[in-house]
Amino acid sequence: MTSEDYLHTILHWREEMDADLRRENNWLAAAGNFWLKPGVNTFGSSRDCDILFPKQFPRLLGAFEFDGTTVTLHLDIGQSAELNGQTIQYGKPIVLKAEQDD
């Protein structure tokens, strides 16, 4: 095997490993999962948030409100987000559904 073939083999293996790690329902997908406590769970880059995002995010993006069965997303003033391909804005709370509810 030439060094070029070897390099191609390694790069192909890395691509396959990366795709496998990122696929839905793999263990890496669980790395960003957080257990919600009953009530309001804030999220953003502020250390005061319940769910801490990296520094490049706004200090407070919004909150998840959990009543034990239902999760409602509330965005902070001036914030927007994309959910299932649609942009959502501050002022319109969204009730989130689990995939198994579809």
Side-chain angles (χ1 to χ4, degrees), residues 1-18:
M1 177 181 287
T2 68
S3 60
E4 190 173 312
D5 290 339
Y6 176 74
L7 180 60
H8 177 72
T9 302
I10 295 298
L11 292 175
H12 180 71
W13 175 82
R14 284 182 182 175
E15 288 174 4
E16 286 181 343
M17 286 297 294
D18 184 67

Side-chain angles (χ1 to χ4, degrees), residues 11 13 17 20 25 37 39 42 50 56 58 91-92:
L11 292 175
W13 175 82
M17 286 297 294
D20 187 49
N25 298 324
K37 66 181 192 275
T42 58
D50 300 306
Q56 64 263 33
K92 185 178 180 192

